Amino acid sequence: MNITKFEKPITKIGIISLAATISLIASLAVSCTCHEQEERTSEQVNTGDTTVVVSEVDGLVFYKPTKNADIELCCGYNDMPPKDTDAILFAAAAYTRTYGQASYSHDLVGGPHLSNGYFEGYDCPANSGAFYYTPADGKWGFVRDNVTEVFKGIASAHEECSGFCQVMLLYNGVECHIAPEAKPAKRAIRRALCELNDELYVIDSKKEVSMHKFVESLKNAGVSNAIYMDMGSMKYSAYRPKAEAQWVEIHKPNSRTQYCSNYLLFRYSES
């Protein structure tokens, strides 16, 4: 089974072979693939203590958190945006099963997930991959298969960990099959968590497009790994362009926002 794995600060990409066991990463064999920095033309917000750089190119909007940002999956009916001054970017990650349930439970989250521990979630046929992050060592990666085994292994090795399942769009530069349950032909504003030039980006489509068109645009932009992030009724998202600045809304909340089961949250870190 393959995992694409990264470290913070990110200097390389490793393709990791993992036996179907939860003994996990200490015994993994790593091979590295280097990437040349590609030149991109865009307008950027980039001054002083910038925490999120925003750029637009070819119908895509790029949100690039600072390289040293910590990442966590916040599960529950969260009061967004966070009041914490170190929070800099948030967006829904895994799918949410139903809307209107009075109390939160982990079975509202689509698929296995990590939130300082391992949780099953509900069976979501659209899912085809996963993303994880471990703050103790600053490692993050994309997982294509055997997600349950990988996530259980991470949870057993790390007290603090985050991860979610979703539709894998690109894996090591190759387009992934998208299940019909993901409604790939539907035109909508799209969003993905992406690896571009060894760094993490949240990338939105500027207009409503099919999922296939979105993947094509990501690939043309040089993205090598991309996993979808929940949109639909869960578009609510925002970022801070500078530390402790006011939140800038990307998409506004709606009547269903209060029932979003999870968010991926980036936090500013000086380490």
Side-chain angles (χ1 to χ4, degrees), residues 25-239:
I25 293 169
S27 62
L28 299 180
V30 181
S31 62
C32 298
T33 304
C34 296
H35 295 263
E36 295 181 0
Q37 187 75 15
E38 297 183 9
E39 184 177 352
R40 292 173 54 244
T41 303
S42 60
E43 296 182 1
Q44 295 188 340
V45 179
N46 191 6
T47 57
D49 57 350
T50 299
T51 55
V52 178
V53 174
V54 183
S55 58
E56 293 185 19
V57 59
D58 294 336
L60 298 174
V61 185
F62 297 73
Y63 300 91
K64 180 181 175 295
T66 177
K67 184 181 292 186
N68 294 324
D70 283 323
I71 308 166
E72 64 182 90
L73 186 71
C74 301
C75 292
Y77 292 156
N78 296 282
D79 184 16
M80 291 292 179
K83 296 179 174 61
D84 314 44
T85 57
D86 62 344
I88 59 173
L89 172 66
F90 69 87
Y95 285 125
T96 293
R97 183 176 62 178
T98 58
Y99 310 113
Q101 185 166 309
S103 60
Y104 170 83
S105 63
H106 280 283
D107 63 5
L108 291 174
V109 180
H113 52 286
L114 299 171
S115 185
N116 295 335
Y118 173 81
F119 301 93
E120 287 288 345
Y122 73 91
D123 183 22
C124 182
N127 289 347
S128 55
F131 171 84
Y132 74 87
Y133 174 76
T134 52
D137 51 17
K139 293 179 180 178
W140 51 273
F142 296 87
V143 184
R144 186 69 177 96
D145 45 33
N146 293 343
V147 171
T148 297
E149 288 82 357
V150 174
F151 272 14
K152 285 183 177 179
I154 292 172
S156 68
H158 296 274
E159 183 176 350
E160 295 183 347
C161 53
S162 292
F164 69 95
C165 291
Q166 254 290 356
V167 180
M168 188 67 74
L169 304 177
L170 287 167
Y171 189 74
N172 294 335
V174 178
E175 294 183 34
C176 300
H177 170 73
I178 301 174
E181 289 84 355
K183 300 178 181 178
K186 180 180 178 181
R187 293 175 61 86
I189 300 294
R190 304 293 185 176
R191 169 175 293 152
L193 180 66
C194 302
E195 181 270 317
L196 172 63
N197 296 332
D198 301 355
E199 295 187 279
L200 274 180
Y201 290 73
V202 172
I203 302 180
D204 286 12
S205 65
K206 195 169 183 180
K207 298 180 180 179
E208 293 184 348
V209 295
S210 70
M211 197 172 283
H212 294 298
K213 178 63 177 177
F214 182 51
V215 174
E216 180 184 345
S217 296
L218 294 176
K219 191 172 183 179
N220 290 341
V223 170
S224 56
N225 291 287
I227 190 167
Y228 197 61
M229 301 181 75
D230 192 12
M231 292 291 276
S233 298
M234 299 304 174
K235 287 187 178 72
Y236 184 42
S237 49
Y239 72 97

Side-chain angles (χ1 to χ4, degrees), residues 252-271:
K252 294 184 178 297
N254 56 50
S255 61
R256 291 184 171 180
T257 297
Q258 61 183 315
Y259 299 115
C260 183
S261 67
N262 66 98
Y263 286 96
L264 197 67
L265 175 66
F266 290 81
R267 293 186 182 278
Y268 177 75
S269 173
E270 296 181 352
S271 60

